């Protein structure tokens, strides 16, 4: 048999995803350096980022609250490998529970020495305090917060 | 409900399979499964087919794979396509079971096919499966999720968990040496593991599954047909599926509590009161080393935070009292939509005594597991020789 052919292919499709009213208000808040969450009056949890409904109580949420720009680092990882089409390494990601929120959300960790992977457990700690570092220019994006800096 | 058994299994060679097209790979698995239980495609009442479209860069490949499934012109066979991420293969097994247990069909073919190697970067594909509004920005794929699990497990339960992840990495790759259908066959040492580069800390290259092409076909039959066609079918004693939140900040990621709930349900259905004693072999979905350890705990083989103890005692290695993934597991072979069904196929082969070089002696009960989604979905099945 002859050598099997391989036909090159590529998907280049553009989308516009509707963020919905809850995330839209959250993103609008980031422009003003405000972080909005939403409280479930049934289970008292505060969701950051906000959602239309509480997945536990299955009720609609309308009680907006503002949470602090400081929080706790719940977990962290450090990306060392370049994955094609994804951000350039090295970079650290954390699940961060903001003060006043019940659950953690994902963001970059910054001002952290990532040069030696074996030192990561000495540099980043589960439970350490972090603070949001804001971008000078904010346009209503999750990246209006540049990253969270360990305190 | 009727009793349901697996009567035939067809595995393909895996790895980079650029020698065949998507539909030719599906055909290869089905042809083998039919031959192994001496059936013809016209003996199959219905087909359930699974793939994860974007890994292979084809939307709805069932459109042209149908001809390879015996669902082309002239046969009029019922066919259903299923896509549920890493659990796709297990969803296929569950759906095939439901089709037969309902009494609607006597013979159902489940077929999972995937060509992960045809995309340039699997993590880029996986990044299309995260929340597009906020999370996507951060470049998340599957390895990032597993790294969060390992980091959290490490900080919460065991600071040297890496030493046990090393054991899992070595055991699975060595088991794969026994499996002619495995992709990675690596005879590796501790030194190889510790010199393997970090991809996403704390996970190294050797903590991670490969990007594999492969397919698997499994034939499910009613008790009437199974008894007629097979001397030792693999009977399905218990099965189930569970879902959870997408959001990682909403659930514990150091312990798979929803898998623990599912395991209790499934073992109750299978009348298994002590899984550690009654299960003889387990095919777990270990796409990353840490996950195998977490699965020991969630399934009830070890206490929470202590899964690593099984490795200390050698329990889950090939010659241990409860071997895990004698096939080499997902760590050695991961054609994603097929991987869950490969777990079922391997468990069935163990129960039927047909696992050849990777056969464990005296298997009565085997389990097969798959996880998928954002650390979110699990499927579990118990198979037995009686």
């Amino acid at each position: 048999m002859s050598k099997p052919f391989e036909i090159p292919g590529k998907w280049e499709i553009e989308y516009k995803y509707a963020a919905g009213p809850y995330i839209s208000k959250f993103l609008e808040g980031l422009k003003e350096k405000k972080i909005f969450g939403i409280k479930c009056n049934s289970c008292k949890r505060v969701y950051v980022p906000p959602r239309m409904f509480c997945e536990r109580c299955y009720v609609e949420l309308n009680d907006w609250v503002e949470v602090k720009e400081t929080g706790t680092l719940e977990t962290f990882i450090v990306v060392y490998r370049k994955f094609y089409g994804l951000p350039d390494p090295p970079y650290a990601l954390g699940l961060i529970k903001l003060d006043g929120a019940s659950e953690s959300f994902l963001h970059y960790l910054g001002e952290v020495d990532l040069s030696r992977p074996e030192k990561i457990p000495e540099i980043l700690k589960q439970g350490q305090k972090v603070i949001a570092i804001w971008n000078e220019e904010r346009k209503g994006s999750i990246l209006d917060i540049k990253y969270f800096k360990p305190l | 409900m009727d009793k349901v058994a697996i009567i035939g299994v067809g595995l393909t060679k895996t790895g980079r399979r650029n020698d065949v097209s998507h539909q030719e790979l599906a055909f290869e698995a089905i042809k083998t499964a039919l031959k192994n239980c001496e059936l013809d495609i016209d003996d199959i009442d219905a087909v359930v087919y699974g793939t994860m479209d974007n890994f292979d860069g084809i939307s709805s490949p069932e459109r042209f794979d149908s001809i390879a499934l015996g669902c082309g012109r002239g046969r009029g066979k019922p066919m259903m396509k299923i896509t549920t991420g890493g659990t796709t293969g297990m969803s296929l097994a569950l759906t095939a079971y439901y089709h037969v247990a309902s009494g609607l069909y006597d013979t159902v073919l489940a077929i999972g096919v995937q060509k992960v190697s045809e995309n340039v970067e699997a993590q880029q594909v996986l990044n299309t499966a995260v929340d597009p509004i906020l999370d996507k920005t951060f470049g998340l794929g599957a390895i990032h999720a597993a790294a969060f699990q390992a980091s959290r497990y490490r900080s919460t339960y065991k600071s040297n968990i890496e030493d046990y992840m090393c054991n899992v990495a070595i055991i699975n790759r060595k088991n794969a040496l026994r499996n002619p259908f495995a992709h990675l066959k690596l005879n590796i040492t501790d030194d190889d593991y510790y010199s393997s580069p970090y991809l996403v800390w704390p996970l190294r290259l050797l903590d991670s599954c490969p990007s594999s092409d492969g397919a698997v076909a499994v034939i499910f039959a009613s008790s009437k047909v199974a008894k007629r066609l097979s001397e030792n079918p693999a009977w399905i004693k218990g099965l189930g599926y569970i879902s959870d939140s997408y959001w990682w900040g909403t659930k514990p990621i150091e312990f798979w509590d929803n898998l623990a709930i599912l395991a209790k349900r499934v073992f109750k259905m299978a009348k298994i009161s002590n899984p550690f004693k009654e299960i003889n072999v387990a095919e777990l979905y270990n796409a990353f080393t840490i996950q195998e350890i977490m699965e020991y705990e969630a399934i009830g083989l070890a206490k929470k935070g202590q899964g690593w103890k099984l490795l200390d005692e050698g329990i889950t290695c090939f010659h241990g009292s409860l071997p895990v993934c004698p096939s080499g597991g997902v760590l050695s072979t991961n054609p994603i939509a097929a991987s869950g069904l490969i777990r079922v196929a391997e468990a069935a082969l163990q129960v039927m005594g047909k696992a050849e070089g990777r056969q464990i002696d005296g298997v009565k009960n085997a389990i097969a597991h798959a996880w998928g989604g954002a650390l979110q979905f699990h499927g579990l099945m118990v198979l037995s020789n009686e």
Side-chain angles (χ1 to χ4, degrees):
Chain A
M1 293 252 277
S2 57
K3 186 175 174 289
F5 278 61
E6 286 184 284
I7 311 300
K10 188 172 189 175
W11 282 6
E12 258 183 312
I13 305 167
E14 291 187 16
Y15 296 89
K16 285 181 194 164
Y17 301 107
Y22 288 68
I23 295 297
S24 295
K25 176 165 172 160
F26 173 74
L27 295 174
E28 199 61 46
L30 294 180
K31 283 190 197 169
E32 312 298 322
K33 292 197 188 181
K34 288 177 192 241
I35 304 174
F36 286 118
I38 202 150
K39 186 172 178 184
C40 174
N41 283 314
S42 176
C43 69
K44 310 298 177 200
R45 281 187 180 83
V46 174
Y47 291 101
V48 180
R51 319 169 175 185
M52 181 179 275
F53 43 86
C54 175
E55 62 183 88
R56 294 179 175 84
C57 307
Y58 214 69
V59 292
E60 264 190 68
L61 305 179
N62 296 297
D63 194 0
W64 289 88
V65 294
E66 196 182 330
V67 298
K68 297 224 164 82
E69 61 174 11
T70 53
T72 308
L73 181 59
E74 297 278 306
T75 323
F76 50 89
I77 60 172
V78 185
V79 180
Y80 283 103
R81 166 64 66 98
K82 172 65 184 172
F83 296 109
Y84 179 83
L86 302 181
D88 286 331
Y91 64 94
L93 290 172
L95 285 174
I96 294 144
K97 190 193 280 184
L98 293 175
D99 295 329
S102 309
E103 315 209 343
S104 56
F105 80 114
L106 183 75
H107 216 294
Y108 289 122
L109 300 171
E111 298 182 44
V112 182
D113 177 10
L114 304 175
S115 60
R116 296 172 68 188
E118 66 281 6
K119 293 284 179 197
I120 294 301
E122 293 164 36
I123 294 165
L124 291 169
K125 302 273 184 200
Q126 190 164 303
Q128 83 188 116
K129 298 297 287 180
V130 293
I131 186 166
I133 302 298
W134 297 87
N135 260 316
E136 286 300 311
E137 193 191 338
R138 293 180 299 278
K139 47 193 176 187
S141 150
I142 189 68
L143 296 179
D144 286 351
I145 299 172
K146 226 164 152 180
Y147 51 76
F148 283 83
K149 174 186 153 182
L151 290 171
Chain B
M1 270 199 319
D2 190 15
K3 279 177 73 179
V4 180
I6 288 171
I7 58 169
V9 163
L11 294 157
T12 67
K13 291 240 188 261
T14 57
R16 179 125 175 77
R17 289 296 312 270
N18 58 351
D19 56 317
V20 286
S21 71
H22 209 267
Q23 51 186 249
E24 289 161 351
L25 189 56
F27 181 67
E28 186 178 317
I30 295 169
K31 197 177 53 175
T32 310
L34 290 170
K35 184 168 166 259
N36 286 345
C37 55
E38 294 172 7
L39 285 180
D40 182 83
I41 191 67
D42 291 325
D43 297 321
I44 298 294
D45 295 339
V47 177
V48 287
Y49 163 91
T51 191
M52 286 294 296
D53 302 19
N54 51 0
F55 285 106
D56 306 343
I58 314 161
S59 277
S60 308
E62 69 276 14
R63 292 160 39 137
F64 59 88
D65 280 359
S66 68
I67 61 163
L69 313 179
C71 297
R73 180 127 193 99
R75 287 208 161 75
K77 231 182 258 303
M79 176 195 143
M80 182 185 277
K81 187 269 185 94
I82 294 177
T83 293
T84 63
T87 51
T88 297
M90 187 60 76
S91 298
L92 291 171
L94 265 64
T95 308
Y97 173 92
Y98 301 148
H99 275 36
V100 177
S102 67
L104 285 173
Y105 304 107
D106 277 320
T107 50
V108 175
L109 165 69
I111 162 79
V113 56
Q114 196 82 72
K115 300 196 83 182
V116 188
S117 90
E118 293 195 350
N119 65 68
V120 173
E121 175 53 71
Q123 298 307 321
Q124 189 188 23
V125 176
L126 285 152
N127 188 245
T128 66
V130 302
D131 161 50
I133 313 291
L134 302 175
D135 285 359
K136 192 173 193 295
T137 312
F138 303 105
L140 295 183
I143 189 172
H144 308 76
F148 272 122
Q149 288 180 303
S151 175
R152 180 94 188 156
Y153 190 101
R154 192 192 158 281
S155 299
T156 308
Y157 296 131
K158 187 79 176 158
S159 61
N160 67 335
I161 193 62
E162 188 176 45
D163 298 338
Y164 296 91
M165 287 152 58
C166 168
N167 287 349
V168 174
I170 292 173
I171 292 169
N172 278 277
R173 272 51 172 268
K174 283 198 172 157
N175 285 351
L177 295 168
R178 302 169 174 273
N179 180 1
F181 305 103
H183 176 183
L184 286 185
K185 300 176 189 200
L186 305 174
N187 196 3
I188 50 169
T189 63
D190 284 16
D191 286 347
D192 294 325
Y193 177 83
Y194 290 107
S195 58
S196 161
Y198 284 108
L199 302 184
V200 180
W201 185 94
L203 297 181
R204 298 170 184 273
L205 178 62
L206 283 174
D207 287 308
S208 313
C209 57
S211 294
S212 315
D213 303 339
V216 56
V218 178
I219 296 169
F220 293 72
S222 62
S223 56
K224 176 182 69 181
V225 171
K227 283 175 190 160
R228 178 158 55 84
L229 292 179
S230 178
E231 280 177 23
N232 54 345
W235 295 100
I236 295 161
K237 293 292 198 178
L239 77 171
Y241 196 86
I242 195 164
S243 175
D244 199 352
S245 178
Y246 165 84
W247 299 103
W248 304 352
T250 292
K251 55 199 175 190
I253 57 171
E254 71 280 7
F255 180 67
W256 253 329
D257 60 348
N258 63 335
L259 176 56
I261 294 166
L262 175 65
K264 285 199 179 81
R265 285 182 198 160
V266 172
F267 292 145
K268 188 177 175 197
M269 181 178 175
K271 298 189 172 62
I272 283 180
S273 52
N274 185 340
F276 188 76
K277 288 199 171 138
E278 294 171 63
I279 292 163
N280 310 112
V281 61
E283 278 288 338
L284 305 180
Y285 201 99
N286 53 9
F288 300 93
T289 51
I290 186 66
Q291 293 172 339
E292 182 177 313
I293 297 169
M294 292 176 62
E295 286 153 9
Y296 300 161
E297 297 170 19
I299 285 168
L301 309 178
K303 289 189 177 137
K304 198 188 214 178
Q306 298 185 3
W308 48 272
K309 284 190 176 171
L310 298 190
L311 293 156
D312 260 345
E313 295 161 27
I315 285 167
T316 54
C317 68
F318 191 86
H319 295 292
S321 59
L322 203 178
V324 170
C325 292
S327 64
V330 183
L331 273 168
S332 303
T333 313
N334 195 8
I336 299 175
S339 295
L341 191 56
I342 292 175
R343 307 277 72 71
V344 173
E346 289 287 344
L349 290 173
Q350 290 288 347
V351 162
M352 296 157 100
K354 291 180 178 172
E356 299 179 336
R358 57 201 187 282
Q359 180 69 46
I360 303 297
D361 291 336
V363 173
K364 180 174 176 284
N365 294 316
I367 58 170
H369 159 259
W371 77 265
L375 309 176
Q376 168 180 25
F377 307 124
H378 292 275
L380 187 64
M381 184 175 271
V382 179
L383 298 107
S384 173
N385 63 0
E386 57 188 37

